[in-house]
Amino acid sequence: MRNAAFACPDLTAFAGLDDLGLEVVGQRLEPDRAVLACRVLEADGWCRRCGCEGAPRDTVTRRLAHEPFGWRPTVLEITLRRYRCTGCAHVWRQDTSAAAEPRSKLSRRALSWALEALVVAHLSVARVAEALGVSWHTANTAVLAEGRRVLIEDPSRFDAVAVIGVDEHVWRHTRHGDKYVTVIIDLTPVRDGTGSARLLDMVPGRSKQAFKTWLAQRPQTFRDGLEVVAMDGFTGFKTATTEELPDATAVMDPFHVARLAGDALDRCRRRVQQDLHGHRGRARDPLYTARRTLHTGADLLTDRQRARIEALFAIEEHVAVEATWGVYQAVIAAYRHPDRVPRQADGRFWTSGKLGTVGSARPRWTSRGRFQAMASWGRTVLYSSR
């Protein structure tokens, strides 16, 4: 007895061609690809100019790369009937806009598959082109156009955005041309705990004017809805935020806070090394040996690493490194807090209290210059949070 859960075999439905207005009428399996002969379901026999009925004239074939099955390129050979108008003698052929864009070499299913393979599966354009059986330039041009239509030109992608992040990125690794771009991402799902960050836009350049122009081009409703702008320590991004988003709060993102704290720890360690030994770190110097261990979170230290840290801080001359290391570990612990709401509250209190002490304690901490790096870091973070 036939299982009621199964339907009759249908190659058209299996290949996803019923949504494209096509029907499979034949197949041919070649060593390197599968070819499906198709026809258009709609007759399209009326003139688009005068509305008279057209008479069949001849047929033409259009070839489209389709979604691959089993990593074998699939090609659609669509037979199109051409008509000649009996009234104005206009010649046209059957409409295939449901199957592909005009002059496109990829079907709509192939475009969706290529975009998903590139964004979700992280395949390269070369691998996508190989799977579709087209050239690299054909696949790249089609994917860029589809991505622009689906992602960039989507009017709803700026809806409900309350937190954004901005940073620069090296886009072009050549000597000629502007190699930097300003990247703007949506951090609202991260703050709300509903998902991951998503890319909003990329702007050529990394200046204040680039970010300010992008903000000025956004609708007023979008700018009014922004609450927080996370960025690095670049003053240009902060100034652009202050001028275009006066009601938004500019903050430094966790990565750059921790990175700047780690750099301050390294500068303090090198300063103490130079003051004590008169030379840069060498293989047997305790400060140089522990340079990587100092950047490891306190809760991730092994017994051997912990013993190395304790032996390092047992030396009285290393007190500046110990104090700076304590501030660095406090920063790491604050951002690793499992509860986001208390972490934000504690972080604001900790910033105004502890960092304020670090940034304003220059006369006492910098008498010998050993706390200068951490004091500078505290003032930088405080400035970015105002």
Side-chain angles (χ1 to χ4, degrees):
M1 180 178 180
R2 177 172 296 181
N3 194 332
F6 290 92
C8 296
D10 188 354
L11 185 56
T12 300
F14 177 80
L17 300 180
D18 45 357
D19 297 334
L20 306 183
L22 302 177
E23 181 184 15
V24 179
V25 295
Q27 66 178 23
R28 183 175 71 252
L29 297 181
E30 299 179 358
D32 57 342
R33 66 187 61 208
V35 182
L36 301 179
C38 306
R39 70 176 186 90
V40 181
L41 294 178
E42 295 293 335
D44 194 17
W46 297 91
C47 181
R48 301 183 181 91
R49 291 184 177 180
C50 65
C52 295
E53 185 175 5
R57 180 182 178 182
D58 56 8
T59 59
V60 294
T61 302
R62 183 180 182 183
R63 296 172 62 89
L64 295 175
H66 192 53
E67 176 185 4
F69 297 96
W71 292 106
R72 171 188 286 184
T74 303
V75 179
L76 305 180
E77 284 193 358
I78 308 174
T79 301
L80 303 177
R81 177 170 292 181
R82 294 207 301 175
Y83 297 88
R84 183 183 180 89
C85 180
T86 57
C88 64
H90 174 63
V91 178
W92 73 95
R93 63 181 182 179
Q94 288 177 292
D95 183 22
T96 56
S97 57
E101 292 288 341
R103 300 183 180 276
S104 175
K105 296 182 179 180
L106 276 66
S107 67
R108 296 191 183 276
R109 288 290 296 258
L111 282 176
S112 301
W113 178 89
L115 189 62
E116 182 178 353
L118 197 67
V119 176
V120 180
H122 304 290
L123 297 184
S124 63
V125 177
R127 189 67 182 88
V128 171
E130 180 184 2
L132 294 175
V134 297
S135 66
W136 185 92
H137 293 285
T138 299
N140 185 66
T141 303
V143 168
L144 288 179
E146 182 68 7
R148 186 179 298 107
R149 184 187 68 86
V150 176
L151 302 177
I152 299 179
E153 297 178 358
D154 183 11
S156 64
R157 67 190 180 102
F158 292 110
D159 296 346
V161 177
V163 183
I164 63 173
V166 56
D167 199 0
E168 72 272 3
H169 175 67
V170 179
W171 178 261
R172 186 195 305 270
H173 296 272
T174 59
R175 297 181 179 179
H176 305 285
D178 192 354
K179 63 180 181 179
Y180 289 99
V181 294
T182 299
V183 181
I184 301 97
I185 60 176
D186 179 18
L187 297 176
T188 307
V190 178
R191 186 197 64 172
D192 299 339
T194 58
S196 58
R198 64 187 183 94
L199 178 65
L200 284 179
D201 210 341
M202 298 177 65
V203 183
R206 56 167 180 171
S207 61
K208 164 196 169 181
Q209 190 62 34
F211 184 46
K212 183 178 180 179
T213 303
W214 183 87
L215 290 174
Q217 292 175 350
R218 304 281 73 80
Q220 187 63 38
T221 55
F222 170 78
R223 288 183 287 174
D224 293 340
L226 290 179
E227 302 173 2
V228 181
V229 180
M231 63 192 70
D232 58 7
F234 178 45
T235 57
F237 292 156
K238 178 176 173 56
T239 305
T241 302
T242 304
E243 295 178 359
E244 294 295 331
L245 306 173
D247 298 331
T249 303
V251 299
M252 185 176 291
D253 60 81
F255 170 80
H256 287 95
V257 173
R259 178 64 180 272
L260 290 176
D263 293 343
L265 177 59
D266 285 337
R267 291 196 299 270
C268 179
R269 176 185 58 81
R270 288 192 291 263
R271 184 184 296 272
V272 173
Q273 169 76 28
Q274 188 70 28
D275 292 346
L276 294 179
H277 304 285
H279 57 76
R280 298 175 58 184
R282 296 175 181 174
R284 295 185 179 182
D285 293 337
L287 288 172
Y288 183 79
T289 305
R291 67 190 187 281
R292 298 187 184 277
T293 308
L294 291 173
H295 285 271
T296 305
D299 55 337
L300 301 178
L301 290 173
T302 63
D303 295 340
R304 182 178 179 180
Q305 291 174 328
R306 196 177 302 277
R308 179 183 297 173
I309 291 291
E310 293 175 355
L312 181 70
F313 294 158
I315 303 175
E316 184 178 357
E317 289 79 3
H318 296 169
V319 62
V321 179
E322 181 180 4
T324 307
W325 179 81
V327 177
Y328 173 75
Q329 293 297 333
V331 173
I332 300 300
Y335 286 116
R336 285 181 177 174
H337 198 284
D339 195 349
R340 292 184 178 272
V341 177
R343 183 181 71 178
Q344 292 174 358
D346 293 344
R348 184 176 297 276
F349 173 79
W350 188 83
T351 299
S352 59
K354 298 294 184 180
L355 289 184
T357 302
V358 173
S360 62
R362 288 177 292 174
R364 178 171 60 87
W365 282 29
T366 62
S367 57
R368 291 188 297 172
R370 295 186 178 178
F371 287 90
Q372 182 178 356
M374 188 53 67
S376 175
W377 169 80
R379 293 191 299 271
T380 301
V381 177
L382 282 176
Y383 173 77
S384 301
S385 302
R386 289 173 183 171

